[in-house]
Amino acid sequence: PPPPPPPPPFFFSTPTPQTAILSGLVGSEMCIRDSCKTLENKLAVLTEAIEANFGTSAEFDVPAGGIFLWVTLPDNVDTMKLASIALSEGIAINPGPEWSTDAVSARSKLRICFGHPDVSTIREGINKLAKICQREFSVPKRISNEKVQ
């Protein structure tokens, strides 16, 4: 078979399964299927964690593929500020303005990568992110059916 095409010049996302597939190091359909199942499971855990911790304060559309989930929070949430505070507390998120051509409309949007972290880290990270967001922006009002102190 012909060699795989080179990765794009600005290849910002390099999780192991995607990088291996792009570079042609993984040729097995079984390996690709396993990677897809793993990513589907991680996405399901992520969306469940967001629903449990943010409730109706967070909106998203489940993507058909990929390793990122775009989340829209209420307009009063500045995701640039949220990302900075969250990072200082050990959680890395991608604020929408850094990944959009329209930074103003993306102000309350964030992009979460679920390709690398394990499911336990996803659950814990979203719970902690919701608490940070509640503390800083009063969103959400409640987490997991309990008032946030």
Side-chain angles (χ1 to χ4, degrees):
F10 299 104
F11 195 58
F12 295 114
S13 170
T14 57
T16 306
Q18 284 188 337
T19 303
I21 290 166
L22 277 175
S23 65
L25 297 176
V26 175
S28 157
E29 278 187 46
M30 183 180 217
C31 184
I32 293 170
R33 263 193 307 268
D34 288 348
S35 292
C36 288
K37 285 179 185 176
T38 298
L39 290 173
E40 286 173 8
N41 181 54
K42 288 180 175 187
L43 176 59
V45 168
L46 175 60
T47 58
E48 289 166 9
I50 291 171
E51 288 171 347
N53 289 279
F54 282 89
T56 58
S57 296
E59 298 177 359
F60 56 85
D61 292 318
V62 176
I67 60 166
F68 294 101
L69 178 69
W70 277 93
V71 179
T72 301
L73 297 171
D75 290 341
N76 67 305
V77 178
D78 176 349
T79 57
M80 293 293 288
K81 180 179 177 183
L82 177 61
S84 177
I85 295 166
L87 188 59
S88 74
E89 296 187 34
I91 298 171
I93 59 170
N94 299 293
E98 290 184 357
W99 297 93
S100 175
T101 57
D102 184 354
V104 174
S105 70
R107 182 180 181 274
S108 63
K109 297 180 184 343
L110 58 100
R111 193 176 87 142
I112 301 174
C113 178
F114 57 89
H116 178 69
D118 61 40
V119 295
S120 175
T121 301
I122 291 170
R123 285 187 188 104
E124 292 171 23
I126 293 300
N127 180 264
K128 191 171 179 181
L129 182 64
K131 289 177 181 175
I132 294 166
C133 194
Q134 198 284 328
R135 183 183 74 221
E136 299 296 326
F137 302 100
S138 299
V139 172
K141 296 290 183 205
R142 298 168 72 88
I143 296 177
S144 300
N145 293 325
E146 293 185 20
K147 277 192 172 182
V148 178
Q149 302 299 325

